[in-house]
Amino acid sequence: MQNKKFNSGDLVRWYESYADDLSMTKDTGIGIILSEKTYLLYSGDMKHTNYNVYRNKHKDVLVFMPEDLVKI
């Protein structure tokens, strides 16, 4: 079972990568966790969680994987 890494209202630094090269950062900024969504993968053997993040810099909401977020 995956431990919950972030809570709603947490302040985070988000990192957005290029689609064709995940090792290069396209953009970064500060945001607030709004909600999370957990998915069951591989017939329920594995869980994956994504987070909806309000990005202050762009004034929008994007979905991020936990590895693209750092709690401030």
Side-chain angles (χ1 to χ4, degrees), residues 5-6 9 21 23-24 27-31 38-42 46 54-55 57-58 61-63 68-70 72:
K5 213 171 168 186
F6 303 101
D21 187 355
S23 66
M24 291 182 60
D27 197 8
T28 185
I30 303 295
T38 300
Y39 302 90
L40 294 175
L41 303 175
Y42 306 112
M46 183 190 236
Y54 174 77
R55 302 188 306 166
K57 180 179 183 178
H58 299 290
V61 176
L62 275 187
V63 177
D68 295 330
L69 301 170
V70 175
I72 298 177

Side-chain angles (χ1 to χ4, degrees), residues 3-14:
N3 291 335
K4 189 172 182 181
K5 213 171 168 186
F6 303 101
N7 296 308
S8 293
D10 283 351
L11 190 62
V12 294
R13 174 163 293 282
W14 51 265

